[in-house]
């Protein structure tokens, strides 16, 4: 049996005399002690989202009598499998069943007197894949270090983020809010302090966390937040509608929640996978995402947080990896295809980012030895991730901390790619699932540094380096090169498991500020006719869009980060340019 098909519900033998039992608002649950940590798995926080509840907001679960066994992971939401190219790097277990709105708790000290800090985890997976049952996300080591750890499942894909005229938007995000409400009501019985909650996520989970910390209904439910490799954002509603319409056309049904609810869920998944086959964080394409709904998401979450309208006083830990794009381009050999396409790839990146020729030319000047794929990848990564996260830090100096994960995978070509840091964050590098990305022999000292920083932040709000300010401090984890550099007359040591750099991405991000400054305020950069010395020709907007389509066809990609129309944010000025391709 393949690793992803191994039943993750396998559990230790129950022992009613010694197993921990905790009472929730809906009934008692029995967990297991595992190496001194009490683990509770598969606890329902909402009713199964099927039948009459399909595509509807979550409702509370039915209470139960007696003690419910919580020794195994609960059902995972419906999702398509990763393609063969991505499955060699990413694990995604499947647990069958309808009761998929469930969560897990690891705690070192169950009982209301402990009042320990709490970490709530939202997994990534492009809002179409992933679950809390992924072995990399095991919470035992946070429990070992005095943290009550909670991980949740939520609806994915069209079930969680389809946009229909006859159903409320964002049901998957509403699932996450329901789980947060459960934590706020229930976590003290597990040893957690409901007033010391940190909400964290990676990739699509970070995007979700960003939307929740900006949501009016979630205010006061957390003290801190961690966004790894995903900024707060909202999709254009028309982009999500197009995804639903494409599925409806293939299914030969109306694009309504009522019609989709009558479709077999396995057929729905197959259709979703076919329609989203060429979706890629680098190149765009059809995808699902969180949308402004006038309710849970009343406005763009990033703008709300930057303006200070949401989550006042919430501390932020913001991070990215050095080579995010390599997970999107290496599987299936897309790196080589992008390099071969050369000017077409650069044109596609310009269209994706809606930028002029000065941006890729600036990246070439800053990285003269880089290939086309690296230039394209770093351009999109900076626009997609680093600029909005840095802008968020700029808006909240003194309470925001920024880091970069730089350790390169031992697997060929991946570098410090998207999702590589997770085995170090969770200190689960010994698992075979972590090794799928990291390779064998990942350094334990790096896990100690990375996991320790997250643990300190959850417990105290200070991960161990300077908060964001005018010097732009960024903690670098896992830099393999060593040496010294000098800034403002001060010598800095570089290398080792972690050190602090100052403004390491400022030169690249300044290119986007200059790009924004060159356009009239509030208007997108005009690409109708763009003279480009890099490409040796004048590009029209139709040619740019064609370049994106050609590049997608060159090698379909499925990423673990969902992205809306790309926002090219200047790191200081806050100018926004949007583009949809």
């Amino acid at each position: 049996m393949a690793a992803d098909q191994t039943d993750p519900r396998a559990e230790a033998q129950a022992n009613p005399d010694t197993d921990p039992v905790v009472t929730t608002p809906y009934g008692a649950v029995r967990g297991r002690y595992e190496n001194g940590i009490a683990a509770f798995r598969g606890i329902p926080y909402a009713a199964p989202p099927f039948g009459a509840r399909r595509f509807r907001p979550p409702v509370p679960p039915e209470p139960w009598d007696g003690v419910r066994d919580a020794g195994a992971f609960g059902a995972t939401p419906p999702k398509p499998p990763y393609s063969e190219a991505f499955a060699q790097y990413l694990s995604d277990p499947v647990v069958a069943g309808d009761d998929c709105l469930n969560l897990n708790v690891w705690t070192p000290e169950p009982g209301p007197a402990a009042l320990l800090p709490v970490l709530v985890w939202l997994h990534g997976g492009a809002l179409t894949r992933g679950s809390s049952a992924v072995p990399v996300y095991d919470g035992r080591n946070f429990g070992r270090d005095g943290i009550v750890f909670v991980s949740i499942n939520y609806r994915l894909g069209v079930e969680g983020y389809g946009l229909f005229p006859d159903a409320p938007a964002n049901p998957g995000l509403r699932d996450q809010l329901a789980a947060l409400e459960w934590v706020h009501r229930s976590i003290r019985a597990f040893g957690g302090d409901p007033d010391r909650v940190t909400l964290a996520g990676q990739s699509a989970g970070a995007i979700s966390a960003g939307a929740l910390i900006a949501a009016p209904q979630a205010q006061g439910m957390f003290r801190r937040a961690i966004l790894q490799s995903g900024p707060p954002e909202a999709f254009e509603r028309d982009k999500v509608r197009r995804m639903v319409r494409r599925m409806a056309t293939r299914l030969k049904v109306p694009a309504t929640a009522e019609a989709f609810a009558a479709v077999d869920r396995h057929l729905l998944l197959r259709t979703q996978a076919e329609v989203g086959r060429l979706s890629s964080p680098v190149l765009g394409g059809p995808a699902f995402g969180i949308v402004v709904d006038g309710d849970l998401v009343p406005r763009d979450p990033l703008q709300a947080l930057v303006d200070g309208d949401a989550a006042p006083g919430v501390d932020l830990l913001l991070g990215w990896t050095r080579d995010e794009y390599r997970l999107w381009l290496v599987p299936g050999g897309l790196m080589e295809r992008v390099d071969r396409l050369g000017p077409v790839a650069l044109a596609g990146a310009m269209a994706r980012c809606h930028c002029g020729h000065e941006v890729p030319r600036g990246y070439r000047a800053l990285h003269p030895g880089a290939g086309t794929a690296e230039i394209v990848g770093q351009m999109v990564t900076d626009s997609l991730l680093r600029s909005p996260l840095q802008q968020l830090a700029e808006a909240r100096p003194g309470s925001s901390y920024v880091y970069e994960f730089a350790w390169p995978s031992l697997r060929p070509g991946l570098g410090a790619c998207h999702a590589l840091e997770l085995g170090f964050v969770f200190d689960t590098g010994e698992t075979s699932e972590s090794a799928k990305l990291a390779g064998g022999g990942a350094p334990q000292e790096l896990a100690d540094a990375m996991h320790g920083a997250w643990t300190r932040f959850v417990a105290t709000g200070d991960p161990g380096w300077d908060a964001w300010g005018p010097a732009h401090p960024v903690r670098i984890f896992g830099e393999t090169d060593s040496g010294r550099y000098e800034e403002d007359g001060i010598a800095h040591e570089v290398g080792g498991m972690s050190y602090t750099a100052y403004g390491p991405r400022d030169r690249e991000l300044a290119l986007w500020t200059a790009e924004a400054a060159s356009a009239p305020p509030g208007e997108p950069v005009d690409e109708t006719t763009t003279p480009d010395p890099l490409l040796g020709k004048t590009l029209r907007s139709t040619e740019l869009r064609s370049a994106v389509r050609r590049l997608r066809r060159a090698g379909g990609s499925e990423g673990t980060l969902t992205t809306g129309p790309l926002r090219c944010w200047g790191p200081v000025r806050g100018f926004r340019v949007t583009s949809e391709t």
Side-chain angles (χ1 to χ4, degrees), residues 274-527:
E274 291 167 1
V275 169
R277 182 174 58 87
L278 298 184
S279 178
S280 165
V282 174
L283 303 172
F288 290 108
I290 297 165
V291 298
V292 172
D293 57 20
D295 173 24
L296 185 57
V297 188
R299 59 182 299 210
D300 182 278
L302 179 57
Q303 196 62 56
L305 291 167
V306 167
D307 290 347
D309 296 343
V314 173
D315 302 325
L316 298 176
L317 180 59
L318 311 170
W320 54 70
T321 72
R322 179 161 294 181
D323 307 308
E324 298 272 3
Y325 66 94
R326 287 182 175 270
L327 184 62
W328 310 325
L329 295 183
V330 169
L334 194 54
M335 283 282 291
E336 292 78 9
R337 292 188 179 96
V338 171
D339 278 333
R340 286 199 301 271
L341 286 168
V344 172
L346 282 173
M350 290 165 61
R352 179 73 172 106
C353 298
H354 208 119
C355 68
H357 66 275
E358 292 294 338
V359 172
R361 187 166 66 182
Y363 277 80
R364 282 288 194 204
L366 291 172
H367 305 282
T372 299
E374 184 175 350
I375 295 294
V376 167
Q378 292 292 4
M379 278 178 58
V380 175
T381 298
D382 284 346
S383 296
L384 179 68
L385 294 174
R386 296 182 182 123
S387 278
L389 287 175
Q390 183 167 326
Q391 190 200 17
L392 187 53
E394 289 280 355
R396 294 170 177 244
S399 61
S400 300
Y401 299 85
V402 179
Y403 68 86
E404 175 172 295
F405 183 85
W407 183 80
S409 170
L410 299 174
R411 297 201 62 180
L414 288 180
C417 69
H418 192 68
L420 177 62
E421 81 290 347
L422 292 174
F424 299 89
V425 166
F426 284 83
D427 193 10
T428 51
E430 80 286 355
T431 65
S432 59
E433 291 79 10
S434 289
K436 290 176 77 170
L437 266 184
Q444 180 60 43
E445 312 96 278
L446 180 55
D448 294 341
M450 193 77 179
H451 176 77
W454 275 50
T455 299
R456 286 190 298 273
F457 180 77
V458 172
T460 69
D462 182 352
W465 62 90
D466 291 340
W468 190 262
H472 292 185
V474 177
R475 194 71 167 178
I476 308 295
F477 288 95
E479 175 65 76
T480 55
D481 296 328
S482 62
R484 294 166 63 88
Y485 74 96
E486 187 171 299
E487 185 170 349
D488 297 329
I490 301 173
H492 301 276
E493 296 288 341
V494 179
M497 289 302 103
S498 67
Y499 69 96
T500 301
Y502 296 86
R505 296 286 172 181
D506 282 1
R507 294 184 303 169
E508 289 88 348
L509 297 182
L511 295 170
W512 301 101
T513 304
E515 177 76 8
S518 69
E523 294 296 326
V525 177
D526 183 6
E527 289 295 342

Side-chain angles (χ1 to χ4, degrees), residues 45-63:
Y45 66 84
F50 299 106
R53 292 186 287 268
R54 204 170 181 191
F55 300 106
R56 299 293 165 181
V59 298
E62 288 291 328

